[in-house]
Amino acid sequence: MPTVLNIPNAELDAVVEFDPVIIGKMSQSGPRYTSYPTADRFTAEFGYGNFLEALAALRMRGGRRPLSLYVHVPFCDTLCYYCACNKIITKDRSKAATYLSYLKQEIAMQARLFAGMNQIEQLHFGGGTPTYLSEKQMDELMTHLRQHFEFASDEDGEYSIEIDPRTVTRERVFSLRAQGFNRISLGVQDFDDAVQKAVNRIQPEAETVAIMQAARDAGFRSISIDLIYGLPKQNLETMTETLRKVIAASPDRIALYHYAHMPHLFKPQRRILDADMPDSSTKLAMLGLCIARLTAAGYVYIGMDHFAKPTDELAIAQRQGRLHRNFQGYSTRAESDLIACGVSAISSVGAVYSQNEKTLDAYYEKLDEGMLPIARGIKLDTDDVLRRIIIQMLMCNFELSISSIEQAHPVQFRSYFSTELEQLRTLAQDGLLIIEDDWLTVTPKGRLLIRNICMVFDRHLAQARALAAAAPDCVQPLRYSQTV
């Protein structure tokens, strides 16, 4: 029988229904939809000129716009075997100094382009490990950012940083708050000793909890932690104990990710023994356990892999219809364009996505030439924009008003999406959504499979799969994680 999990949130009156049979049947590889079109659709034909055209289109609209800013710091001291992020493992701190000089160059260039409409309401430092930078380097970088961009007040803005608890002290946490960060995200993954050893990330619980307490004492408004299920040596017993410790630590947000084991793509994962990996049924049971324990502890299921306390701004944004999804996951700033600085970082400005060069040498070379270090991207056509809106609504709100789409776009929904509606009817027969005259509503059973539902509207994915089926030996296989 399915397990029904009531989320304690009277305003949403929502439930998540965990049905292992339907999840096992429906789980497949698919995009996470931090963008649409997804990053694998970006091409090298898109360049600096395309980005400038998108910016010119923004200026023609006039007025000031709220902006989000992402800063990528790719360096780490040590290698975590599970990690598939773009990172550079080094203890040579001079590399960070060189990178910082080029990063400042890019920030200054972007600031000039956005002059007059550049109020930052959201800032996120990701990596790698942003706290790889020394306290002095972080001071210099934050001063540089504030010299070139106007920031909303601390009360109105969301300024977050990812940290590795093993790399900071209580004093450093207070320093980060003084430098302007008001939200903090900690990588935890798992508290079990054997699991930590298997992924080369030894991180004592007491050390993590002490850093969380330091963040509270320093006045951070929100503390988030990352967990992963499906790691080597994990089982229901170890996950139960990790969840007990996490709930006791009481973070404001929790991101629960499914570990995608793809050693053929990511060399560090080859150090993980296949014999240590939990099987599919165990991973599915761990997911069910996590949902049950976290919702019972009072966390709101935001969507996909995110949970938050009802009082957290993420949960409030969802209730108010302001939730958004971007390259950092779920976000509270739905109308913001995203400027991304640093190696491999992806910007979203108007109707374009642009990604920076992925290697330091290429990143430095472009900046030496006086150009933004854009390597590839995509310009959305009207169909892309329409489908992006639909996927955003489903991912964030679990429902879609057909009339609202028809009012905003020159389409007859049922005619334009006739093929998609046929596919949705199949999902509706499995109980994943309800199709009404004016609404598509994702059911409690369908919430965990929201990626599957959104994939129906992904024209690029359908075309890529058709091409791969027609010429399997000529087309590079699609690289996605499992949807659940």
Side-chain angles (χ1 to χ4, degrees):
M1 291 292 292
T3 301
V4 177
L5 308 167
N6 288 294
I7 295 178
N9 186 333
E11 288 188 54
L12 278 177
D13 192 28
V15 296
V16 177
E17 186 175 320
F18 182 81
D19 186 339
V21 175
I22 196 68
I23 291 174
K25 170 186 173 182
M26 297 295 299
S27 185
Q28 59 180 294
S29 63
R32 298 179 61 81
Y33 293 114
T34 51
S35 72
Y36 180 81
T38 50
D40 55 332
R41 300 298 101 197
F42 297 178
T43 69
E45 284 72 39
F46 182 99
Y48 187 29
N50 300 102
F51 182 83
L52 294 179
E53 287 176 6
L55 187 56
L58 283 185
R59 286 197 176 279
M60 287 180 64
R61 294 189 215 167
R64 295 174 62 83
R65 295 173 59 83
L67 298 174
S68 290
L69 179 61
Y70 174 74
V71 179
H72 189 73
V73 181
F75 304 104
C76 292
D77 276 316
T78 58
L79 176 66
C80 300
Y81 296 161
Y82 58 82
C83 185
C85 297
N86 185 16
K87 74 278 183 186
I88 298 166
I89 311 300
T90 181
K91 295 187 182 296
D92 181 359
R93 300 285 165 162
S94 67
K95 291 187 175 181
T98 302
Y99 180 74
L100 195 56
S101 67
Y102 279 95
L103 181 63
K104 289 177 180 177
Q105 247 184 278
E106 185 189 2
I107 289 167
M109 291 175 69
Q110 292 278 20
R112 286 194 294 271
L113 291 173
F114 283 87
M117 55 176 184
N118 63 349
Q119 175 155 342
I120 304 297
E121 293 189 357
Q122 192 172 47
L123 170 70
H124 185 82
F125 271 57
T129 306
T131 47
Y132 186 94
L133 299 180
S134 69
E135 184 173 340
K136 182 175 183 296
Q137 288 173 326
M138 188 66 76
D139 256 334
E140 292 174 357
L141 181 53
M142 291 300 291
T143 298
H144 185 78
L145 284 168
R146 292 185 182 281
Q147 286 173 344
H148 286 84
F149 287 96
E150 179 185 341
F151 281 74
S153 68
D154 181 77
E155 182 180 30
D156 295 330
E158 286 192 0
Y159 308 129
S160 65
I161 185 168
E162 299 172 9
I163 68 165
D164 180 342
R166 302 171 300 172
T167 67
V168 297
T169 62
R170 177 179 174 86
E171 291 72 27
R172 183 71 192 274
V173 171
F174 273 76
S175 176
L176 291 170
R177 184 68 183 97
Q179 287 164 344
F181 297 102
N182 54 30
R183 296 181 175 277
I184 199 165
S185 176
L186 291 77
V188 173
Q189 323 319 341
D190 194 291
F191 277 127
D192 184 80
D193 293 341
V195 175
Q196 291 184 358
K197 184 176 180 180
V199 299
N200 196 41
R201 188 185 176 103
I202 306 302
Q203 185 175 318
E205 174 196 2
E207 188 176 85
T208 301
V209 171
I211 294 302
M212 292 176 68
Q213 185 57 53
R216 291 190 178 98
D217 295 342
F220 279 86
R221 294 211 303 268
S222 180
I223 300 171
S224 175
I225 67 169
D226 293 345
L227 298 177
I228 300 178
Y229 71 96
L231 291 173
K233 298 288 187 180
Q234 278 182 337
N235 54 49
L236 286 172
E237 289 72 25
T238 64
M239 185 58 74
T240 297
E241 184 61 12
T242 287
L243 288 169
R244 183 189 67 78
K245 294 175 180 179
V246 167
I247 291 167
S250 192
D252 300 284
R253 301 178 186 177
I254 298 168
L256 174 68
Y257 299 113
H258 174 224
Y259 170 57
H261 188 56
M262 295 186 283
H264 58 293
L265 298 179
F266 306 110
K267 288 183 179 179
Q269 295 184 359
R270 296 172 192 174
R271 305 188 188 193
I272 293 175
L273 300 178
D274 289 340
D276 290 339
M277 293 297 296
D279 60 26
S280 297
S281 61
T282 301
K283 287 191 287 185
L284 196 54
M286 285 193 289
L287 172 61
L289 175 70
C290 290
I291 295 169
R293 293 298 173 89
L294 293 176
T295 52
Y299 287 91
V300 175
Y301 176 68
I302 299 298
M304 254 184 65
D305 40 33
H306 279 58
F307 298 79
K309 290 182 176 179
T311 53
D312 187 85
E313 287 187 21
L314 205 61
I316 294 171
Q318 186 178 59
R319 292 198 295 271
Q320 295 177 347
R322 296 186 290 106
L323 198 63
H324 181 61
R325 189 162 174 81
N326 60 23
F327 294 102
Q328 285 77 59
Y330 285 102
S331 164
T332 62
R333 298 296 199 271
E335 299 303 321
S336 299
D337 289 293
L338 172 65
I339 306 168
C341 296
V343 65
S344 80
I346 302 176
S347 296
S348 174
V349 176
V352 305
Y353 293 109
S354 59
Q355 182 170 26
N356 282 352
E357 296 285 356
K358 291 186 176 182
T359 67
L360 291 180
D361 287 344
Y363 177 75
Y364 296 160
E365 183 178 350
K366 283 273 181 72
L367 287 166
D368 282 338
E369 293 171 356
M371 298 174 62
L372 285 179
I374 294 172
R376 61 183 194 141
I378 190 170
K379 181 178 180 180
L380 281 65
D381 59 26
T382 54
D383 180 79
D384 290 329
V385 171
L386 172 58
R387 292 173 187 270
R388 178 169 69 173
I389 290 170
I390 289 170
I391 289 172
Q392 278 278 342
M393 287 182 173
L394 291 171
M395 292 289 288
C396 296
N397 303 324
F398 296 115
E399 63 181 10
L400 174 71
S401 166
I402 292 173
S403 62
S404 69
I405 294 296
E406 292 179 336
Q407 289 169 13
H409 300 271
V411 298
Q412 292 295 318
F413 189 93
R414 292 185 179 277
S415 174
Y416 194 89
F417 293 110
S418 59
T419 301
E420 288 82 357
L421 283 168
E422 283 301 312
Q423 297 176 53
L424 290 177
R425 288 187 184 97
T426 301
L427 299 181
Q429 289 172 3
D430 285 320
L432 303 187
L433 77 158
I434 298 169
I435 304 173
E436 299 175 298
D437 289 342
D438 190 46
W439 289 91
L440 300 181
T441 305
V442 180
T443 65
K445 186 185 293 187
R447 290 189 171 208
L448 291 175
L449 291 158
I450 188 62
R451 288 164 71 181
N452 297 65
I453 295 170
C454 290
M455 284 160 63
V456 170
F457 288 98
D458 190 335
R459 174 173 57 90
H460 295 277
L461 178 63
Q463 291 172 347
R465 286 181 167 175
L467 189 60
D473 297 328
C474 302
V475 178
Q476 186 176 8
L478 300 174
R479 300 175 178 182
Y480 300 124
S481 61
Q482 292 298 108
T483 53
V484 179

